[in-house]
Amino acid sequence: MSIEMPRGLPFAVDTFGPYTTTKRIKRHHFLTHAHKDHTVGISPSNIVVFPIYSTSLTISLLIQRHPQLDESFFVRIEIGQSVIVDDPDGQFKVTAFDANHCPGAVMFLFEGSFGNILHTGDCRLTLDCLQSLPEKYVGRRHGVAPKCCLDYIFLDCTFGKSSHSQRFPSKHSAIRQVINCIWNHPDAPVVYLACDMLGQEDVLLEVSRTFGSKIYVDKATNLECFRSLMVIVPEIVSEDPSSRFHIFSGFPKLYERTSAKLAEARSKLQSEPLIIRPSAQWYVCDDEDDWESGSIQKQRKVRFSEAVKDEFGLWHVCYSMHSSREELESAMQLLSPKWVVSTVPSCRAMELNYVKKNCFISRFSPDDPFWKLLDIDMEVSPVAAADTHTVALSCCLMSEEIILDSAKLKLEPVIESSSTKKKLLSLSPEKNLPVTLFGRARLSSQESDQLHERKVIHTQCVFTKSSPVLEKLNVQEVIESLQDDTKEETIEKESCTSFSTSKEACKDLSGDLRKLYRSMNAPVPRPLPSLMELMNARKRSRNHLSF
């Protein structure tokens, strides 16, 4: 799956579903690969409105899956090829690069007046994959910035969570593990390979070459896999069930079917078949699985050099089509982008150390292409213009806290009206306030009133040369904590009355702006009360209870 591109861009990538409200606003559309989660919503009714740029192999796989589509609906762009796209807002250049994911999968590099943007789609960013990108965008080693900086990377962070710290073996190494596992089980009459997913053809091809045998695919139960293999590697496909090697459907109920196959062989007093699953999913399962023993968890984390047998009798090999967290960190160090956006839910790019250390809104000047991506006319306040050391910027970030409905997995940045934007972007504090544990303290009633008036309109990020601080206030959370402590209805009413004005500010902030904040992979600023307000509210609550 992918997310909606910012409104300031004339193109979209991998977004075709009926819930993508900007699909008809975007004038150019691109498809990275043929996996189903990236092709949702593609139909003749959509394509007649706009053509789709993609590779020939991806187009062939898509048309085979959906015969009602026609090749005339697509524009072909092959790996290494560049295309100049005409647009009313100005021409831009797009180049396709190998994504190291599945057959036909590409990354798209967009270069135009909006800046330089790399959309990886689904990818595995190994060093070889990175070296295929233009040399000017890739640093020679860690710590050495590239000659030209990427403004934006829309990054595949499937395994970007902090818990996914394992170092995955290369695809070649994983394929050798599969072959070694087969060699180590010469008595297995049948070898079942759970490789019916697009992207695992290299495993099947190498097994077929090594053992000189074709691989049986049951058309009746796995027609889509059969058709895909006939397009990509038809020379290894067999319709003879007597072949030793069979395709084994990965899902659903993989473990139940594995246990059933082994039990059937035992009941017939036959040698057990060998069932192998080349995938990284088993290795990145959460450690909190209660049903697992500590030894199984340790095997998942440590044993990447050989196949591992689980308690169901299924053999696992860590074959990954996505980058590990370590590979993502290394890739970001070499590419050194200004901003990174995760293309998968939960905004996992925020967990990368590179993003935490290097991606700050303060890096963007008022004339940076960054603001054009968001369709925002950036204006610097008069106070900030007079002082070169202070810049007041409106936060245009994305929150990880909003979980979309399962039917609406696309993320849409919501842009405010131009008059509202200009009013918000022109705000800046009259002077810097002291820094405390909770941010800038409000030490007097006058300062409190002045700052509160600004917060009711919009929460700002204020950066100074000496102390960059993001001020955050969230009154709602404090009210909830007071309610939990006292459990009294009277206290709840008093707290809500005391902070009613601030609550309205929170509601305003969480309305139109929360999706916009989420589009930039950063948490939504949430107001917190001053220490004085918090202490006074608790005192009033205790005094009330004492009576």
Side-chain angles (χ1 to χ4, degrees), residues 26-44:
K26 301 296 185 181
R27 295 181 289 272
H28 315 281
H29 290 254
F30 296 83
L31 175 63
T32 59
H33 63 289
H35 278 157
K36 289 184 178 180
D37 57 333
H38 289 254
T39 62
V40 173
I42 294 182
S43 66

Side-chain angles (χ1 to χ4, degrees), residues 2-6 118-121 151-157 332 337-344 347-350 352 355 359 370 373-374 398 411 517-522:
S2 190
I3 66 171
E4 290 281 2
M5 306 297 283
L118 177 65
H119 195 296
T120 66
D151 296 291
Y152 237 129
I153 290 186
F154 286 83
L155 182 65
D156 171 21
C157 296
M332 293 304 98
K338 290 183 180 180
W339 205 266
V340 182
V341 176
S342 174
T343 60
V344 297
C347 303
R348 293 179 183 174
M350 290 296 294
L352 298 179
V355 175
C359 295
F370 173 84
L373 297 180
L374 301 177
M398 184 198 311
L411 309 179
Y517 282 79
R518 188 176 65 247
S519 67
M520 295 301 303
N521 276 356

Side-chain angles (χ1 to χ4, degrees), residues 24 45 50-51 63 79 127 248 298 311 322 350 363 508:
R24 296 184 185 275
S45 61
F50 49 75
I63 292 177
I79 293 176
L127 184 59
F248 198 65
K298 185 176 180 181
E311 60 270 31
H322 300 270
M350 290 296 294
R363 293 183 61 182
D508 291 341

Side-chain angles (χ1 to χ4, degrees), residues 169 172-185 191-193 203 274-279 282-283 296 298-311 313-319:
H172 176 75
S173 175
I175 293 174
R176 295 310 306 172
Q177 292 179 38
V178 172
I179 292 175
N180 290 338
C181 185
I182 298 173
W183 279 120
N184 293 334
H185 295 81
V191 177
Y192 292 100
L193 300 170
V203 178
L274 177 64
I275 306 176
I276 306 176
R277 183 194 184 194
S279 172
W282 186 73
Y283 294 85
I296 295 296
K298 185 176 180 181
Q299 286 179 345
R300 290 188 176 190
K301 290 184 176 181
V302 177
R303 297 181 63 182
F304 290 95
S305 59
E306 59 182 348
V308 180
K309 186 178 182 180
D310 66 15
E311 60 270 31
L314 180 65
W315 289 84
H316 296 270
V317 172
C318 188
Y319 179 86

